[in-house]
PDB file of all heavy atoms in Angstrom:
ATOM      1  N   PRO A  95      32.710 -95.037 -20.192  1.00  0.00           N
ATOM      2  CA  PRO A  95      33.042 -93.668 -19.823  1.00  0.00           C
ATOM      3  C   PRO A  95      32.641 -92.616 -20.851  1.00  0.00           C
ATOM      4  O   PRO A  95      32.609 -91.463 -20.533  1.00  0.00           O
ATOM      5  CB  PRO A  95      34.578 -93.750 -19.665  1.00  0.00           C
ATOM      6  CG  PRO A  95      34.977 -94.887 -20.491  1.00  0.00           C
ATOM      7  CD  PRO A  95      33.882 -95.884 -20.408  1.00  0.00           C
ATOM      8  N   ASP A  96      32.360 -93.052 -22.094  1.00  0.00           N
ATOM      9  CA  ASP A  96      31.984 -92.070 -23.112  1.00  0.00           C
ATOM     10  C   ASP A  96      30.462 -91.930 -23.190  1.00  0.00           C
ATOM     11  O   ASP A  96      29.955 -91.332 -24.140  1.00  0.00           O
ATOM     12  CB  ASP A  96      32.560 -92.483 -24.458  1.00  0.00           C
ATOM     13  CG  ASP A  96      32.059 -93.865 -24.949  1.00  0.00           C
ATOM     14  OD1 ASP A  96      31.507 -94.583 -24.095  1.00  0.00           O
ATOM     15  OD2 ASP A  96      32.148 -94.146 -26.129  1.00  0.00           O
ATOM     16  N   ASP A  97      29.701 -92.462 -22.236  1.00  0.00           N
ATOM     17  CA  ASP A  97      28.289 -92.315 -22.245  1.00  0.00           C
ATOM     18  C   ASP A  97      27.852 -90.891 -21.997  1.00  0.00           C
ATOM     19  O   ASP A  97      28.563 -90.156 -21.257  1.00  0.00           O
ATOM     20  CB  ASP A  97      27.688 -93.245 -21.162  1.00  0.00           C
ATOM     21  CG  ASP A  97      26.191 -93.266 -21.183  1.00  0.00           C
ATOM     22  OD1 ASP A  97      25.626 -93.076 -22.262  1.00  0.00           O
ATOM     23  OD2 ASP A  97      25.567 -93.464 -20.151  1.00  0.00           O
ATOM     24  N   HIS A 123      38.063 -84.694 -18.632  1.00  0.00           N
ATOM     25  CA  HIS A 123      37.395 -85.946 -19.024  1.00  0.00           C
ATOM     26  C   HIS A 123      36.804 -85.781 -20.434  1.00  0.00           C
ATOM     27  O   HIS A 123      35.588 -85.723 -20.595  1.00  0.00           O
ATOM     28  CB  HIS A 123      36.310 -86.287 -18.005  1.00  0.00           C
ATOM     29  CG  HIS A 123      36.775 -86.424 -16.615  1.00  0.00           C
ATOM     30  ND1 HIS A 123      37.417 -87.577 -16.157  1.00  0.00           N
ATOM     31  CD2 HIS A 123      36.702 -85.577 -15.572  1.00  0.00           C
ATOM     32  CE1 HIS A 123      37.740 -87.400 -14.889  1.00  0.00           C
ATOM     33  NE2 HIS A 123      37.295 -86.214 -14.475  1.00  0.00           N
ATOM     34  N   PRO A 124      37.652 -85.715 -21.453  1.00  0.00           N
ATOM     35  CA  PRO A 124      37.142 -85.488 -22.807  1.00  0.00           C
ATOM     36  C   PRO A 124      36.331 -86.642 -23.334  1.00  0.00           C
ATOM     37  O   PRO A 124      35.604 -86.486 -24.322  1.00  0.00           O
ATOM     38  CB  PRO A 124      38.453 -85.296 -23.625  1.00  0.00           C
ATOM     39  CG  PRO A 124      39.495 -86.023 -22.824  1.00  0.00           C
ATOM     40  CD  PRO A 124      39.121 -85.811 -21.413  1.00  0.00           C
ATOM     41  N   GLU A 125      36.420 -87.818 -22.696  1.00  0.00           N
ATOM     42  CA  GLU A 125      35.652 -88.960 -23.128  1.00  0.00           C
ATOM     43  C   GLU A 125      34.186 -88.919 -22.737  1.00  0.00           C
ATOM     44  O   GLU A 125      33.372 -89.688 -23.255  1.00  0.00           O
ATOM     45  CB  GLU A 125      36.284 -90.277 -22.605  1.00  0.00           C
ATOM     46  CG  GLU A 125      36.024 -90.571 -21.138  1.00  0.00           C
ATOM     47  CD  GLU A 125      36.870 -89.735 -20.185  1.00  0.00           C
ATOM     48  OE1 GLU A 125      37.647 -88.898 -20.638  1.00  0.00           O
ATOM     49  OE2 GLU A 125      36.758 -89.937 -18.946  1.00  0.00           O
ATOM     50  N   ILE A 126      33.851 -88.013 -21.830  1.00  0.00           N
ATOM     51  CA  ILE A 126      32.463 -87.943 -21.355  1.00  0.00           C
ATOM     52  C   ILE A 126      31.670 -86.913 -22.131  1.00  0.00           C
ATOM     53  O   ILE A 126      32.056 -85.759 -22.209  1.00  0.00           O
ATOM     54  CB  ILE A 126      32.423 -87.609 -19.844  1.00  0.00           C
ATOM     55  CG1 ILE A 126      33.091 -88.729 -19.057  1.00  0.00           C
ATOM     56  CG2 ILE A 126      30.996 -87.429 -19.360  1.00  0.00           C
ATOM     57  CD1 ILE A 126      33.203 -88.458 -17.538  1.00  0.00           C
ATOM     58  N   LYS A 127      30.562 -87.344 -22.708  1.00  0.00           N
ATOM     59  CA  LYS A 127      29.686 -86.432 -23.451  1.00  0.00           C
ATOM     60  C   LYS A 127      28.686 -85.797 -22.455  1.00  0.00           C
ATOM     61  O   LYS A 127      28.007 -86.513 -21.718  1.00  0.00           O
ATOM     62  CB  LYS A 127      28.913 -87.195 -24.512  1.00  0.00           C
ATOM     63  CG  LYS A 127      29.801 -87.848 -25.557  1.00  0.00           C
ATOM     64  CD  LYS A 127      28.959 -88.678 -26.516  1.00  0.00           C
ATOM     65  CE  LYS A 127      29.841 -89.476 -27.489  1.00  0.00           C
ATOM     66  NZ  LYS A 127      29.032 -90.350 -28.356  1.00  0.00           N
ATOM     67  N   LEU A 290      32.126 -89.008 -11.487  1.00  0.00           N
ATOM     68  CA  LEU A 290      33.251 -88.112 -11.761  1.00  0.00           C
ATOM     69  C   LEU A 290      32.795 -86.660 -11.752  1.00  0.00           C
ATOM     70  O   LEU A 290      33.528 -85.754 -11.316  1.00  0.00           O
ATOM     71  CB  LEU A 290      33.864 -88.471 -13.091  1.00  0.00           C
ATOM     72  CG  LEU A 290      34.612 -89.831 -13.166  1.00  0.00           C
ATOM     73  CD1 LEU A 290      35.001 -90.172 -14.575  1.00  0.00           C
ATOM     74  CD2 LEU A 290      35.833 -89.782 -12.271  1.00  0.00           C
TER      75      LEU A 290
END
Side-chain angles (χ1 to χ4, degrees):
D96 61 343
D97 185 29
H123 302 282
E125 75 282 2
I126 297 177
K127 301 175 185 176
L290 292 172

